[in-house]
Amino acid sequence: MKNAFVTLVTNADYVMGATALVHSLRRTATRADIVILHTHAVTAQQLEYLQSLGCRIIAVDHLPLSDDFNQRHARKNLHGAAPFTKGRKPDFHTPLDNFCKLRLWQLTEYRTVVFLDADIVVLKNIDKLFDYPEFSAAPNVYESLADFHRLNSGVFVAKPSTDTFERMLEALDQPDVFWRRTDQTFLETFFPDWHGLPVTMNMLQYVWFNMPALWDWKSAAILHYQYEKPWEADHPKAERLRPLIDLWHAFHENRDIPDIAGLPNPSTTSAGAIA
Ligand code: UDP
Ligand code: MN
């Protein structure tokens, strides 16, 4: 049976993200399929280029969730009940759309699936992830050691199964349930004994300035632009993330990519950390 990398796009902004992601995956010469799940808000024309890169394009519906559930997880209500204090989500980010990720458990033609957020670029071949068990994910580390308790759902290894998908739907939409970080909180709860991937498999961009000692271009395999997106013009953290943003644009425009292992790591002096 085959394996696949899967991402999700629900609007034109994340199509841009997926374009850089697919360019980066193609450079790794992966043998796995690349699947783009998209909601009906995305047009065929917006997906044409990704298709020309050999991606499988699959339309998905939102999950069949109750009106109450959808209300509680609507952007305005979620941001009100569980405000983001450490970074800012772009206006084009709709929390409810995140749950569409769970549709990948319906892709039962694949033995193993590696989900990658559309705001990711892959820096080296990561096909070995297909040999990892369900459910594997890296910790949500970008500020402090306490972050190691939680997973980040931007990268994970899953085994598609209709049975698992149905059990997820049952567990997801409980009366009054509130998943404060949407699919991430849900997956952490559904797979309480999740397997840990190393941080190199999901380097979060804030590590660059919050925990520079953890940064290592030689071992980093997946770079994840959580919170502000690299294609947002002049976002609040753009100055501090300049080298990472420049790298994203090189992938997006499919330009020459510098030797990643040779890039300078962030300075670990306090001045460097603040700059
Ligand atoms: N996503 C999407 N449209 C949305 C919100 C999310 O397509 O409105 C998808 C996209 O693949 C994205 C992922 O879900 O990368 C998770 O959202 P995001 O990466 O913005 O969250 P963060 O990593 O900042 O927590
Ligand atoms: Mn993300």
Side-chain angles (χ1 to χ4, degrees):
M1 266 173 102
K2 291 209 288 187
N3 298 318
F5 292 108
V6 177
T7 193
L8 167 69
V9 296
T10 71
N11 59 46
D13 274 279
Y14 287 101
V15 172
M16 284 183 74
T19 301
L21 170 65
V22 174
H23 284 158
S24 73
L25 275 171
R26 284 281 174 243
R27 285 170 191 257
T28 72
T30 178
R31 298 173 53 208
D33 279 7
I34 303 178
V35 176
I36 312 286
L37 302 180
H38 71 90
T39 53
H40 298 278
V42 183
T43 65
Q45 198 193 346
Q46 288 169 327
L47 294 161
E48 233 167 50
Y49 179 68
L50 289 170
Q51 191 156 28
S52 79
L53 296 175
C55 299
R56 257 190 91 190
I57 310 287
I58 301 180
V60 295
D61 291 321
H62 279 87
L63 299 177
L65 298 164
S66 65
D67 290 346
D68 283 350
F69 182 100
N70 291 338
Q71 201 73 54
R72 281 195 297 277
H73 296 86
R75 181 177 164 106
K76 192 164 56 70
N77 294 336
L78 186 135
H79 283 238
F84 293 90
T85 55
K86 297 170 176 176
R88 156 189 151 287
K89 295 281 179 185
D91 292 342
F92 53 77
H93 178 272
T94 304
L96 251 186
D97 287 356
N98 290 348
F99 291 106
C100 296
K101 281 185 195 181
L102 303 185
R103 291 269 185 206
L104 66 82
W105 268 273
Q106 293 180 291
L107 302 175
T108 52
E109 64 271 42
Y110 295 112
R111 185 177 59 91
T112 304
V113 151
V114 171
F115 180 83
L116 300 167
D117 266 7
D119 58 346
I120 273 175
V121 291
V122 173
L123 305 175
K124 55 175 72 164
N125 186 289
I126 54 168
D127 287 0
K128 69 176 175 189
L129 288 181
F130 293 115
D131 296 326
Y132 282 58
E134 175 174 273
F135 178 89
S136 300
N140 193 31
V141 173
Y142 60 87
E143 202 174 65
S144 71
L145 282 178
D147 297 340
F148 275 93
H149 294 297
R150 297 179 50 215
L151 65 80
N152 182 283
S153 63
V155 178
F156 61 84
V157 183
K159 306 282 178 185
S161 147
T162 308
D163 177 61
T164 307
F165 180 68
E166 278 165 13
R167 284 190 297 113
M168 282 180 157
L169 282 185
E170 267 168 47
L172 186 60
D173 195 354
Q174 298 290 325
D176 296 326
V177 79
F178 177 57
W179 306 106
R180 52 185 289 122
R181 293 297 171 249
T182 61
D183 65 298
Q184 184 161 286
T185 318
F186 173 72
L187 290 167
E188 209 167 58
T189 307
F190 193 81
F191 295 108
D193 53 356
W194 53 284
H195 303 276
L197 297 174
V199 290
T200 51
M201 286 296 180
N202 190 351
M203 281 305 275
L204 299 171
Q205 63 176 349
Y206 284 17
V207 170
W208 181 260
F209 54 77
N210 278 339
M211 308 171 90
L214 195 57
W215 201 276
D216 174 28
W217 283 116
K218 280 193 187 58
S219 56
I222 298 178
L223 178 48
H224 183 183
Y225 298 81
Q226 103 289 10
Y227 289 123
E228 298 83 4
K229 303 308 170 210
W231 62 91
E232 285 184 79
D234 297 326
H235 67 61
K237 304 234 169 39
E239 273 323 305
R240 286 195 278 177
L241 294 170
R242 185 59 57 200
L244 307 191
I245 293 174
D246 290 347
L247 182 63
W248 184 88
H249 282 280
F251 276 113
H252 180 254
E253 287 133 45
N254 223 0
R255 287 192 252 117
D256 285 346
I257 301 295
D259 171 35
I260 301 280
L263 290 174
N265 287 321
S267 162
T268 51
T269 63
S270 53
I274 293 163

